[in-house]
Amino acid sequence: MLTKRRLATALACLVASSALVAPVSALAQTVVIGSEGAIPPLDPHRMTGTPGLRVIDAIYDPLVREDLSVVTDTAPTLKGGLAESWTVSDDGLVYRFTLRSGVKFHDGTDFNAEAVQANFARIMDKASPLYDERAAGNMTFLTRWIAGTAAIDAQTFEIKVKEPFSGLLRLLSDRRSGIISPTAMAAHKGDAMGLNPVGTGPFRLEAFQQGQQLDLKRNDTYWGGAAAVDTLIFRPVTDPTAMAIAMQTGQVDIIPSASSQQIAQLSVDPSLQVQYPEPANQYFVRLNTKAQYTDNKLFRQALNYAVNRDNLAALLNGQVTPLGGPVPSGNELPGTTGSTYAYDPAKAKALLAEAGFSTGVTIKLMAPNSGPGFGQASEVIALLQQDLGEVGITLEPQFLEFATLVSTEGPGYKDDVQGSFNGWTTGADSAYWLERMFAGDQQPPRGVNRGWFTNAEADRLFTEARGESDEARRLDLYRQAAERIADDSPWIFLYQDRLPRVLSARVGGVLPARSVFIDYPRIQVK
């Protein structure tokens, strides 16, 4: 329920934004998408953060795309993007892509294999005049596997990998792998590229008012068929209450990721639709396996048994699903790992006793005080304090602004902190995501295993899974690795956000596929 002060503040936010002036219903073929954060420069190779990734998804195409036209139980299946088809050599080292013919970038430049090669030169070839160091650093999640690339002929592009790696196609579907016009890359170096985005996607840039809104116009010659609407507007409304009011008053058509408070406010409005796509993601406390107490496996297991995840789900109004293991729903691994944690404080106490820890243990955790998905972080931490307190563990939180938290934990935890509360969505639909999060060779600075976790058996299974061409066998190997990770408890596994989206009744064509992204060409205005 809104207090008068909160309502006044929210209304002031709406009035102050010059973009929020007329209900979008007056614009029959325009759909307005609310953005929970400022829209960054639109360079896919440099992009981080879901708000920006959502925008570049409309402007650029990768070689391979997720199929968001079908609702599935696991990760969306892959289909051709700018690559019409592909083959893999018998030894798993060569991927050959047949590219679509007749495709043009928004600036009229022809799309062909040389254009794709120019994009890979930008992120891999330091001798290339197109090379961008910042883009190269951001794309190492993909390029670390690549030995070389080549344009074989105009419609054939080849990638050679350093070792058999079955997860390559899923990585190529990442929105950061979008293909940029080589003409634009040559003309706009460094930061300028993000202000002059040119792709082959279903929409092209019309106007970019930084801090206010972004207008995209339909690409009428899009290779996949022209979109059903003429204009997409991305409008930043950073105050959650103001966003909800904008939705109710017709200033915004879609909230792509709504908070539990927004859902509570908007779900009773019959003119609005709530979808639960439930893409793969996970919220967790990553533990420092080098720090006192959390360097002990039994202690980490005790932490997992001590947490009442059902209470967390209730706190967040049922918007989250309790998750007691490392594999979220919507990952390409079907079913469960068979090794998950449930609330059992008696078992937690027994494990602590077995590990030789008496009561009075204090652990320190960092936590965000704001940021996407963390609007109720302080309340989540309060419940964790209560649960851990019941088994004799005192939790001391240090709240940080979200960007500060990320930069602080980025180099890996220091020995004086036992971990941090965080979440992860990007790539969580892939089985390979487990390797990115937990493999020993993914510790900083090479990766995001910031808690210094290592499990030799899991690492062995990862190596075997990467080179396995049989899909069922590959997934089984990753499942075995997940079971070992769950047993070792490098995280306190907490919950999965259902990541609901809210749509105006005038909007159709959006399916609840398991993704944080929307199939833009399918959006319709009723």
Side-chain angles (χ1 to χ4, degrees):
M1 185 172 180
L2 294 176
T3 63
K4 290 182 178 179
R5 178 175 295 178
R6 288 183 68 200
L7 180 59
T9 300
L11 289 172
C13 290
L14 292 179
V15 172
S17 173
S18 61
L20 299 178
V21 293
V24 294
S25 57
L27 306 171
Q29 290 303 311
T30 296
V31 171
V32 179
I33 300 173
S35 176
E36 67 267 45
I39 298 170
L42 302 172
D43 183 336
H45 303 159
R46 287 184 168 200
M47 185 63 68
T48 60
T50 302
L53 290 170
R54 286 197 184 101
V55 180
I56 64 172
D57 192 33
I59 299 173
Y60 301 95
D61 289 308
L63 293 176
V64 181
R65 271 201 174 277
E66 293 178 321
D67 187 353
L68 302 184
S69 66
V70 179
V71 178
T72 57
D73 291 333
T74 57
T77 56
L78 299 178
K79 66 177 183 177
L82 288 174
E84 197 170 54
S85 61
W86 53 84
T87 59
V88 184
S89 63
D90 291 342
D91 61 6
L93 295 176
V94 180
Y95 287 72
R96 181 164 285 197
F97 298 87
T98 299
L99 306 181
R100 295 186 187 276
S101 59
V103 176
K104 288 186 179 292
F105 290 94
H106 300 156
D107 61 3
T109 301
D110 289 333
F111 167 75
N112 51 35
E114 288 295 339
V116 180
Q117 178 66 10
N119 277 256
F120 277 88
R122 186 179 190 237
I123 58 177
M124 293 187 69
D125 183 3
K126 292 183 179 181
S128 169
L130 298 177
Y131 182 75
D132 185 293
E133 184 175 7
R134 183 173 163 190
N138 194 49
M139 295 298 292
T140 54
F141 74 93
L142 169 66
T143 58
R144 66 185 291 256
W145 301 106
I146 298 176
T149 61
I152 305 303
D153 57 43
Q155 304 309 129
T156 309
F157 182 72
E158 189 173 272
I159 295 177
K160 293 182 179 179
V161 292
K162 297 174 182 177
E163 61 182 77
F165 177 46
S166 55
L168 180 71
L169 293 173
R170 184 73 61 177
L171 293 187
L172 287 172
S173 74
D174 191 293
R175 274 65 182 178
R176 290 170 291 179
S177 299
I179 303 299
I180 307 171
S181 161
T183 302
M185 288 192 293
H188 306 291
K189 301 293 180 65
D191 296 340
M193 185 66 251
L195 302 178
N196 298 274
V198 182
T200 60
F203 290 86
R204 57 178 175 79
L205 179 66
E206 175 75 6
F208 192 177
Q209 304 171 54
Q210 282 195 288
Q212 295 186 42
Q213 74 177 41
L214 176 86
D215 293 26
L216 302 181
K217 283 292 184 181
R218 177 174 56 206
N219 175 11
D220 290 328
T221 60
Y222 183 54
W223 59 264
V229 298
D230 177 69
T231 305
L232 287 183
I233 294 176
F234 290 85
R235 183 170 290 165
V237 186
T238 55
D239 181 87
T241 304
M243 178 81 86
I245 294 174
M247 192 78 205
Q248 290 176 312
T249 56
Q251 309 290 340
V252 167
D253 280 314
I254 300 174
I255 300 178
S257 288
S259 68
S260 59
Q261 298 99 319
Q262 288 171 328
I263 293 298
Q265 181 178 344
L266 299 175
S267 60
V268 297
D269 189 331
S271 69
L272 304 177
Q273 316 164 56
V274 178
Q275 280 188 356
Y276 289 92
E278 306 198 40
N281 68 88
Q282 185 155 180
Y283 286 77
F284 50 84
V285 173
R286 184 193 291 110
L287 299 172
N288 183 354
T289 59
K290 287 185 176 181
Q292 184 182 19
Y293 307 125
T294 48
D295 61 353
N296 185 288
K297 171 182 171 178
L298 296 178
F299 186 88
R300 298 194 301 266
Q301 289 178 335
L303 295 178
N304 271 287
Y305 282 115
V307 173
N308 189 329
R309 295 168 182 81
D310 289 334
N311 281 351
L312 289 173
L315 166 70
L316 298 171
N317 299 322
Q319 182 169 314
V320 306
T321 302
L323 185 59
V327 182
S329 176
N331 185 277
E332 62 181 334
L333 289 180
T336 63
T337 66
S339 179
T340 57
Y341 293 92
Y343 180 52
D344 191 341
K347 188 169 182 62
K349 291 179 180 178
L351 286 167
L352 291 172
E354 183 182 348
F357 296 112
S358 59
T359 58
V361 171
T362 298
I363 62 173
K364 298 179 180 179
L365 298 179
M366 298 183 290
N369 60 12
S370 61
F374 296 107
Q376 293 178 264
S378 61
E379 295 164 85
V380 170
I381 291 295
L383 280 184
L384 293 179
Q385 286 178 305
Q386 177 181 311
D387 288 345
L388 296 183
E390 290 180 358
V391 299
I393 298 173
T394 299
L395 168 58
E396 290 185 357
Q398 177 189 9
F399 287 98
L400 302 169
E401 191 272 329
F402 182 71
T404 302
L405 170 65
V406 173
S407 62
T408 301
E409 68 176 20
Y413 297 127
K414 296 181 179 179
D415 291 343
D416 62 349
V417 65
Q418 274 79 26
S420 67
F421 172 43
N422 214 318
W424 204 282
T425 299
T426 306
D429 54 356
S430 169
Y432 170 67
W433 179 75
L434 293 169
E435 185 169 351
R436 291 186 65 196
M437 298 294 106
F438 301 109
D441 67 359
Q442 290 297 289
Q443 295 175 8
R446 296 187 61 186
V448 296
N449 181 358
R450 296 163 181 161
W452 312 110
F453 173 70
T454 184
N455 180 297
E457 181 60 14
D459 286 345
R460 182 192 66 78
L461 289 163
F462 288 148
T463 299
E464 190 175 348
R466 283 199 305 272
E468 179 56 61
S469 59
D470 180 87
E471 184 73 355
R473 173 63 178 159
R474 180 180 73 88
L475 295 179
D476 184 60
L477 289 166
Y478 275 115
R479 185 181 298 106
Q480 292 178 49
E483 290 173 351
R484 283 153 180 79
I485 292 164
D487 179 66
D488 232 350
S489 303
W491 293 355
I492 304 177
F493 308 106
L494 296 178
Y495 57 82
Q496 178 170 347
D497 196 322
R498 300 181 70 193
L499 292 176
R501 61 173 68 115
V502 183
L503 303 96
S504 166
R506 69 187 286 270
V507 173
V510 180
L511 295 179
R514 283 188 179 273
S515 176
V516 296
F517 300 103
I518 292 172
D519 195 351
Y520 292 120
R522 295 175 60 90
I523 295 179
Q524 303 170 3
V525 174
K526 300 177 182 177

